[in-house]
Amino acid sequence: MSGSSRYPEEFRRDAVALARSASRPLAQVARELGVNHETLRTWVRAADRAESAAAAGGDAAERELRALRKRVAELEKEKEILRKAAAYFSGDGSLTRSYRFISAHRDAYGVARLCRVLGVRRPGFYEWLAASPAREERARAEDRLAGEIAGIHAAHRGAYGSPRVTAELRRRGRAVNHKRVERVMREQRIAGNTRRRSRSLTRPNKAAAAVPDLIGRDFTADAPGQRLVGDITYLPTDEGWLHLATVLDLHTREIIGHALAPHMRAGLVCDAIALAADRGLINPGAVFHSDRGTQYASAEFRATLTAHGIRASTGRTGSCYDNAAAESFFATLKTEIGTRTWTTRQQARRDVFAYLAYYNHHRLHSTLGYRTPHETRTNYRPRNTHAA
């Protein structure tokens, strides 16, 4: 297997972006990422060639591309009109959807004609149109509230549920109903850690076979690659949530594997484990500890662990303390990277990728004797053992 093929395409793109933006030498960036510096140089050169080729061919095809886009836009418009009209006449439409259809196409067909064809009262449409600013303001207020809730939740290490979030909002002068806060948190999949019931990002799979707790809240390890923990967190962007899954080594506190995706399917956590294993940072027979979320309890994830010779371990449902090391890392990341909302998922991805390189190679840890995770791993020397 070549040096490039064992790394996911997404990891190589992120590595190229970091190498281009970093003020450090390419060799240092390669060391921080745990790849050969010539491999990283090859990735950068290949990206440069691909971008140059795309730019060279772009000018020649621009006119044809514009013509094609114009034609596609026309076809899409026709398709959308037919689809919406068909939905309405088949009984799948609603009055609000009809009003939206009329509003979107009134310049082309006229309000009177559209109302007559769709069987809608024209005064009713104008009343709905007049109320649009109020509806839009309510939507903006809902977005602002969701952002403030996400900030409070992150600032308190994910421990606050809707009662405490509501109390904090009221301390800030917000006259908000607790049921509204609970609804917004549920819709945005923001949940606090409580003992009464599980409200974590990863939802428990009650049908999955029981897995023992091999960690028992002992978040230490005698050597690298033996005892690992993992979890999933969310990163808010204007394009929607970006989810981050991590694999943390309990001996070095190093993030040895991670994955980022706009979804929370099992493939997210499988990719994080696969990256750590492909980098050679997991020993055979290692233990991986997580919560009882559906992603970690899935058959796909269990198969991934088995393929890499890893034993599964899970904590109790609804107890944040049973996976405290993973939770603590996310709190550190969100505090130090800055609790905010990114404009795009790509911006969030680049910031997180750069932070992980900093965290592993530059951030001093008091639990490690004020060394970095990378120093702890590279300076590890096994204890002398004697054959029986």
Side-chain angles (χ1 to χ4, degrees), residues 45-90:
R45 288 174 176 170
D48 290 341
R49 288 195 299 270
E51 291 170 3
S52 297
D59 293 338
E62 185 63 29
R63 284 192 298 273
E64 182 179 355
L65 183 60
R66 283 199 298 268
L68 287 173
R69 285 176 174 168
K70 183 177 180 180
R71 178 57 181 158
V72 168
E74 289 298 321
L75 291 173
E76 287 296 327
K77 181 179 178 181
E78 294 174 6
K79 178 182 177 182
E80 185 68 12
I81 292 172
L82 291 172
R83 185 186 66 79
K84 289 187 176 181
Y88 177 84
F89 287 114
S90 66

Side-chain angles (χ1 to χ4, degrees), residues 9-138:
E9 179 63 25
E10 187 173 84
F11 179 88
R12 297 200 295 272
R13 286 198 302 269
D14 289 340
V16 169
L18 180 61
R20 286 173 169 174
S21 63
S23 59
R24 305 182 296 283
L26 187 69
Q28 182 178 349
V29 174
R31 285 196 302 273
E32 294 173 357
L33 296 176
V35 301
N36 183 276
H37 75 278
E38 286 299 329
T39 298
L40 181 57
R41 191 187 307 278
T42 299
W43 294 348
V44 173
R45 288 174 176 170
D48 290 341
R49 288 195 299 270
E51 291 170 3
S52 297
D59 293 338
E62 185 63 29
R63 284 192 298 273
E64 182 179 355
L65 183 60
R66 283 199 298 268
L68 287 173
R69 285 176 174 168
K70 183 177 180 180
R71 178 57 181 158
V72 168
E74 289 298 321
L75 291 173
E76 287 296 327
K77 181 179 178 181
E78 294 174 6
K79 178 182 177 182
E80 185 68 12
I81 292 172
L82 291 172
R83 185 186 66 79
K84 289 187 176 181
Y88 177 84
F89 287 114
S90 66
D92 294 332
S94 66
L95 191 59
T96 299
R97 185 178 297 179
S98 299
Y99 288 155
R100 289 174 179 168
F101 186 92
I102 294 169
S103 180
H105 301 90
R106 55 182 168 165
D107 291 340
Y109 302 107
V111 173
R113 178 184 298 169
L114 287 166
C115 288
R116 184 176 65 254
V117 172
L118 298 179
V120 173
R121 292 176 57 253
R122 186 162 47 168
F125 167 72
Y126 285 117
E127 290 170 2
W128 175 86
L129 196 63
S132 293
R135 284 195 304 276
E136 292 171 359
E137 177 54 36
R138 286 196 297 271

Side-chain angles (χ1 to χ4, degrees), residues 261-310:
H263 62 77
M264 287 181 62
R265 295 189 290 273
L268 176 70
V269 293
C270 292
D271 290 345
I273 284 286
L275 178 58
D278 290 344
R279 294 174 68 190
L281 299 179
I282 300 180
N283 295 336
V287 171
F288 178 82
H289 183 80
S290 68
D291 61 21
R292 295 179 181 271
T294 56
Q295 297 87 351
Y296 293 111
S298 67
E300 181 181 354
F301 182 70
R302 296 291 169 78
T304 299
L305 293 183
T306 300
H308 294 293
I310 303 170

Side-chain angles (χ1 to χ4, degrees), residues 1 24 31 64 70 76 110 194 206 227 267 271 277 291 297 310 317 321 325 329 340 350 360-361 367 381:
M1 180 179 290
R24 305 182 296 283
R31 285 196 302 273
E64 182 179 355
K70 183 177 180 180
E76 287 296 327
T194 66
K206 298 179 181 179
R227 288 156 64 89
D271 290 345
D291 61 21
I310 303 170
T317 300
Y321 302 107
F329 167 73
R340 59 191 179 94
R350 289 175 178 173
N360 284 335
H361 293 266
T367 57
R381 296 293 181 270

Side-chain angles (χ1 to χ4, degrees), residues 189 191-194 196-209 231-232 264 290-298 302 314-319:
R189 304 188 74 177
N193 296 315
T194 66
R196 289 181 299 171
R197 56 178 179 173
S198 176
R199 294 177 61 94
S200 60
L201 265 181
T202 48
R203 298 184 177 181
N205 186 345
K206 298 179 181 179
D231 204 351
I232 305 172
M264 287 181 62
S290 68
D291 61 21
R292 295 179 181 271
T294 56
Q295 297 87 351
Y296 293 111
S298 67
R302 296 291 169 78
T314 61
R316 292 172 297 176
T317 300
S319 176

